[in-house]
């Protein structure tokens, strides 16, 4: 009886596993195919310019090749039309089509081919290079088949997905796989890619990635491949990112992202001990506050942003996405850590696309004549007008210039190099070597093991926590 019961359990387990993996994707593919489209673009490019010879001047073959070129007249100098292929999908019965920006960027003509074989010209409603998403529109006498977006946040690693599109120009091809990973970032500030092993090749760009309910959870955008073909590592922009972009493109013809107006960096583990009140390596540290919403709200360099609009800030990437997703003009509450205490500031967000970061830093005067001194493995001297120009520092920047770094020091390990400019220590401005020595002594008396330095290199600021233990 026990053996019979065990056999029944195994049979039930096999039955459940069989139900988890579909026997066929045919019904689903048949249902959603009419909404997937092939996209052909054409662009007029200039004719050949510059030297036309394909052999060295004076070569005995020069006359032969000149005669060969002349047979075709001057066709090589005329503008010519090139074409490219991609994929997309219809999201409404009145003809809105989503694809990748790189599929249609620079195109003079865009032609949409439907599963039925019908072809319609398309116009660009709007595009967003940051997420590589574009919205097109076709005019049709009859309502079009369309698909809906799903919630990409519910897609789990291991879930079945299918990709549809126009790989290598073959047209209306289906591939199946699973979600291999979530939250992949490639190069953009707003990246949120779903990684999949469903075959994605050239021409699949802009096509949909479907879940088993026939909902679009991603837009196929890129592959990782040494040879240009699918090796099972493809990336689809998550639908929850795409829907926000598409809504804005449909309403405004462009994106309108929130803008806080700060330069920020991640909080490292060694900064935790150096910053009063910071309990974990979380949040986003402000390295600079140019003219903009943050400055108007009273934010300062050295503040650590802990919360934005009621949501915890884990790191820089998370904050950038939260701010970008917030409406332009919205007044949000931002919690910052300053001088060991939290403060809540109210910021009215600007628009990132039109933001101008004109920096107007304070310009304290140096308190002493230039002198050179070695401290904590750094050879330092106050910044002069001549050095400011050589190092590409903004006018009015004050601080200490690193002229040499001991390669055996903690400073060298932390990445400090000759040419760096130290503008703050302990979140206070530096104008002399004496200022730095005072900050070091204050930190030691307070029992700290490290000192937070604001370092500028090529005008770009970053914080470094430097060990000051004797």
């Amino acid at each position: 009886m026990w053996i019979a019961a065990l056999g029944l359990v195994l049979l039930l387990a096999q039955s459940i596993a069989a139900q988890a993996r579909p026997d066929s994707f045919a019904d689903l593919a048949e249902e959603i195919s009419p909404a997937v489209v092939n996209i052909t673009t054409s662009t007029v490019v200039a004719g050949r310019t510059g030297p036309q010879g394909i052999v060295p001047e004076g070569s005995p073959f020069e006359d032969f090749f000149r005669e060969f070129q002349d047979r075709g007249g001057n066709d090589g100098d005329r503008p010519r039309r090139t074409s490219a292929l991609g994929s997309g999908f219809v999201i409404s019965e009145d003809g809105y089509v989503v694809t990748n920006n790189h599929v249609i960027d620079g195109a003079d003509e865009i032609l949409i081919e439907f599963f039925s074989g019908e072809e319609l010209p398309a116009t660009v409603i709007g595009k967003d290079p940051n997420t590589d998403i574009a919205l097109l529109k076709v005019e049709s006498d009859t309502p079009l088949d369309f698909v809906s977006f799903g919630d990409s946040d519910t897609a789990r690693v291991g879930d079945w997905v299918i990709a549809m599109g126009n790989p290598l120009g073959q047209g209306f091809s289906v591939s199946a796989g699973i979600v291999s990973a979530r939250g992949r970032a490639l190069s953009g500030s707003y990246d949120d890619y779903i990684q999949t092993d469903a075959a994605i090749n050239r021409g699949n760009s802009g096509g949909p990635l479907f879940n088993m309910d026939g909902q679009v959870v991603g837009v196929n955008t890129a592959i990782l491949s040494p040879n240009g073909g699918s090796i099972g590592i493809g990336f689809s922009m998550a639908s929850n990112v795409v829907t926000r972009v598409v809504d804005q493109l449909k309403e405004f013809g462009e994106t309108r992202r929130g803008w806080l107006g700060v330069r920020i960096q991640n909080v490292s583990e060694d900064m935790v001990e150096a910053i009063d009140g910071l309990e974990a390596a979380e949040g986003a540290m402000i390295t600079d506050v140019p003219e903009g919403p943050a400055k108007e709200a009273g934010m300062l360099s050295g503040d650590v942003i802990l919360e934005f609009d009621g949501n915890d800030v884990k790191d820089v990437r998370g904050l950038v996405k939260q701010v970008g997703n917030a409406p332009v003009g919205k007044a949000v509450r931002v919690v910052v850590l300053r001088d060991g205490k939290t403060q809540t500031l109210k910021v009215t967000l600007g628009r990132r696309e039109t933001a101008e970061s004109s920096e107007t830093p304070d310009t304290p005067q140096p308190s002493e004549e230039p002198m050179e001194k070695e401290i904590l493995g750094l050879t330092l001297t106050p910044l002069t007008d001549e050095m400011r120009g050589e190092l590409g520092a903004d006018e009015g920047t004050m601080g200490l210039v690193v002229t040499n770094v001991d390669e055996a020091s903690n400073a060298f390990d932390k990445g400090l190099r000759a040419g760096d400019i130290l503008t703050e220590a302990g979140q206070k401005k530096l104008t002399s070597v004496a200022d730095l020595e005072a900050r070091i002594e204050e930190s030691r008396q307070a029992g700290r093991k490290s000192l937070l330095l604001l370092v500028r290199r090529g005008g770009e600021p970053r914080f470094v926590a430097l060990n000051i233990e004797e």
Side-chain angles (χ1 to χ4, degrees), residues 11 30 32 70 156-157 173 184 213 216 234 257 261 293 304 329 337 346 354 356 394:
L11 183 62
E30 184 177 352
I32 57 184
D70 290 344
R156 301 182 303 162
V157 173
S173 177
R184 294 298 199 201
D213 294 323
V216 179
R257 293 188 172 93
V304 179
L337 178 67
K346 194 172 184 179
T354 57
E356 294 180 358
D394 294 332

Side-chain angles (χ1 to χ4, degrees), residues 261-450:
V262 290
R263 293 183 179 178
I264 50 180
Q265 73 175 68
N266 284 319
V267 177
S268 62
E269 291 288 349
D270 53 5
M271 290 181 183
V272 176
E273 197 278 332
I275 301 175
D276 285 339
L278 192 61
E279 298 178 354
E282 295 182 354
M285 172 163 280
I286 299 176
T287 62
D288 201 8
V289 189
E291 291 293 338
K295 189 167 187 176
E296 293 173 3
M299 288 189 180
L300 301 175
S301 174
D303 286 352
V304 179
I305 300 176
L306 303 177
E307 291 183 18
F308 176 84
D309 200 18
N311 298 307
D312 291 340
V313 174
K314 297 296 183 182
D315 52 26
V316 164
R317 182 169 174 245
L319 177 61
V320 170
K321 291 175 65 176
Q322 290 177 45
V323 175
N325 291 336
V328 175
K330 181 179 181 180
V332 299
R333 297 187 184 279
V334 181
V335 178
V336 301
L337 178 67
R338 180 187 300 171
D339 298 329
K341 300 178 181 178
T342 58
Q343 297 187 27
T344 300
L345 305 175
K346 194 172 184 179
V347 185
T348 301
L349 299 178
R351 184 184 171 196
R352 184 177 182 86
E353 288 82 358
T354 57
E356 294 180 358
S357 55
S358 55
E359 299 180 5
T360 54
D362 295 333
T363 56
Q365 297 300 314
S367 58
E368 60 178 33
E369 292 298 317
M371 57 169 288
E372 192 169 81
K373 190 168 184 178
E374 183 176 346
I375 302 175
L376 301 176
L378 300 170
T379 303
L380 303 166
T381 188
L383 181 65
T384 64
D385 290 337
E386 183 179 359
M387 292 176 181
R388 192 178 291 113
E390 293 175 352
L391 298 174
D394 294 332
E395 183 179 355
T397 299
M398 302 301 298
L400 304 177
V401 178
V402 178
T403 59
N404 189 48
V405 184
D406 182 353
E407 295 188 9
S409 67
N410 176 247
F412 187 86
D413 292 341
K414 292 296 179 65
L416 292 173
R417 298 294 183 265
D420 288 344
I421 304 174
L422 312 186
T423 59
E424 291 183 14
Q427 298 178 296
K428 296 180 181 178
K429 294 188 180 299
L430 293 174
T431 60
S432 67
V433 174
D435 287 344
L436 177 58
E437 291 177 322
R439 301 291 89 76
I440 293 172
E441 184 59 28
E442 289 172 4
S443 296
R444 284 173 175 163
Q445 290 181 0
R448 299 193 186 97
K449 298 178 181 179
S450 57

Side-chain angles (χ1 to χ4, degrees), residues 229-288:
S230 175
I231 60 170
I233 304 178
F235 300 95
S236 299
M237 182 62 76
S239 62
N240 286 358
V241 174
V242 178
T243 52
R244 284 190 289 265
V245 172
V246 167
D247 288 345
Q248 290 190 350
L249 295 180
K250 186 183 292 187
E251 182 176 358
F252 307 114
E254 59 187 358
T255 55
R256 298 186 178 183
R257 293 188 172 93
W259 178 60
L260 190 58
V262 290
R263 293 183 179 178
I264 50 180
Q265 73 175 68
N266 284 319
V267 177
S268 62
E269 291 288 349
D270 53 5
M271 290 181 183
V272 176
E273 197 278 332
I275 301 175
D276 285 339
L278 192 61
E279 298 178 354
E282 295 182 354
M285 172 163 280
I286 299 176
T287 62
D288 201 8

